[in-house]
Every structure is written in C-alpha cells, then in structure tokens.
Amino acid sequence: MKTDQDWILPSCRQFVHWIHFLETNPDVATFDLMPDLKLSMDDKESRATELDAVVINYDKTIEWHEVKSHESEKEVHRSQLLAQAAASSKEGIKYRIFTDREIQPHVQTSVRWLKVISFAAVLRGKLFELETYHLSMDLQQLGGGNLRDAIKHSVENNQDIAISLGIFARLAIHGVIRIDLFNQGLSYGSHWEWSGRQ
C-alpha cells in the first residue's frame, strides 16, 4: 500500500475515491488523507479549510482533492470550495473536486480492488526485496498472462504463495503491472500485463 498506514474514511464516496483515484491510480506515488488545514480567502473573508486529500504524483506534481456527494452540494459548500480554489491557485497546485458523477462509475471495480489491497497489506512493513526482484524479473520476461502463470515460478522455487501474491498485488497497486478487474474480481485466471514502469 502506498502510504503504509491505516486511514479512517468518513464516507463511501471517500472510500471509492481512495481506492480508484489514489491507491490504485498508477500515476499517484503517495497521498495524505489528513492534510493540514489550508488558510485562504473565499469571496467574503479569510477561512481555514480542510481538504480530503493531498496527492503527490510520480511526475512530482501535486493535487488537492475534495470529495462532495453531488453537484448541488458544491453550492452548499461554495465558501469552502472558493477558499480552497484560491489557495491552490496561489500555490500553483491543481485542485480537483470529485462528485458522484466521477465516483459512481468506479464503485464495482473499487470493491474488486479490495482483495488486491488485502494481499498487499499482509506484507505491510516488510520489503521482501529479493522476492520482489525475482518476481518482477519473471513478470517482465512473461510480459503478460494470468495470475496463475505469474506466480508459477515463485511456487516452483518454494517461495511462500502468500508472499508472492502480496508482491504481485504491490506491483499492481504501484502500476508496474496492470490487472483487469473490470469484469470480475482477482482470481488465478485474472489477466495482467507488464506496464514497463519500474
């Protein structure tokens, strides 16, 4: 997992936002779901606002994320959003608002990613550098296939299958490999392909 820590998510929307737009987004290197308050001006006064996420991408760009239930809620929270937009503009940071329109299409695949994230979480706090190197080399050489083929070599070399699955999951989360979870959840038949990212 990208931040190697637990997060408490206050809504289902933020849960899907975390899985799809942060944890499994291959462009995102890391993120903070409890960032410091941002001080700025709305259209009337100075105010401090709390973002839902501060994101750092692999290309070093930073984004501020705000999650709202639907378009009409933007009007209810207009002052907050104006202050956040002003602060991001002042700092030259991209500011994104996610509503149901952006989140709803990713609910089903986000739930499927939970299994992958769970496999990666088993290895939390442990690097397994040698095992990661060997599995990465195997996957790069294969170029693609199904999960069974991906971990076959590891199992033949008496490596723990749980560790191999965890490493496979980590590589998927970090975008080193791409896995297809659009039609079904993770299984030995799940298709993957090497992305070229190291």
Side-chain angles (χ1 to χ4, degrees):
M1 298 182 22
K2 291 180 178 174
T3 62
D4 202 26
Q5 68 183 83
D6 295 325
W7 297 105
I8 296 173
L9 300 167
S11 73
C12 294
R13 287 175 186 89
Q14 290 190 16
F15 177 75
V16 174
H17 170 261
W18 163 66
I19 291 177
H20 182 79
F21 294 98
L22 304 177
E23 194 69 51
T24 66
N25 182 339
D27 297 325
V28 172
T30 190
F31 53 87
D32 184 355
L33 297 180
M34 295 195 63
D36 294 333
L37 295 175
K38 303 297 177 190
L39 185 63
S40 188
M41 292 288 292
D42 60 17
D43 52 356
K44 296 178 183 175
E45 60 188 359
S46 180
R47 61 174 289 161
T49 65
E50 184 177 348
L51 293 161
D52 290 318
V54 171
V55 179
I56 301 174
N57 294 310
Y58 280 108
D59 66 4
K60 306 298 183 203
T61 58
I62 298 173
E63 295 179 3
W64 289 355
H65 289 193
E66 185 64 30
V67 179
K68 295 294 178 209
S69 63
H70 42 73
E71 289 295 323
S72 63
E73 194 175 15
K74 285 184 180 180
E75 197 56 40
V76 174
H77 298 280
R78 184 174 184 274
S79 178
Q80 171 197 12
L81 301 179
L82 284 174
Q84 290 174 349
S88 69
S89 178
K90 183 178 178 182
E91 295 191 33
I93 293 173
K94 185 175 183 178
Y95 177 59
R96 298 178 66 187
I97 301 171
F98 296 85
T99 63
D100 287 350
R101 183 174 50 204
E102 291 82 21
I103 291 186
Q104 184 64 38
H106 307 292
V107 171
Q108 195 168 36
T109 53
S110 293
V111 171
R112 291 179 182 143
W113 268 101
L114 279 179
K115 188 174 184 181
V116 180
I117 292 168
S118 297
F119 280 127
V122 170
L123 307 186
R124 186 167 156 185
K126 299 178 180 87
L127 295 177
F128 293 106
E129 291 174 331
L130 186 60
E131 294 88 346
T132 301
Y133 172 79
H134 286 302
L135 184 58
S136 295
M137 292 298 101
D138 289 345
L139 297 178
Q140 186 173 11
Q141 186 175 9
L142 286 170
N146 62 38
L147 175 57
R148 181 179 288 105
D149 295 336
I151 62 169
K152 181 179 178 184
H153 188 262
S154 299
V155 174
E156 288 172 354
N157 288 326
N158 297 317
Q159 292 181 14
D160 187 293
I161 192 165
I163 292 172
S164 296
L165 288 169
I167 293 168
F168 181 89
R170 276 184 181 171
L171 295 173
I173 288 168
H174 287 281
V176 176
I177 58 173
R178 294 185 200 96
I179 57 175
D180 180 4
L181 298 178
F182 291 106
N183 297 314
Q184 63 181 16
L186 186 69
S187 70
Y188 282 122
S190 294
H191 181 76
W192 65 273
E193 62 182 32
W194 182 259
S195 74
R197 171 180 279 164
Q198 295 285 343

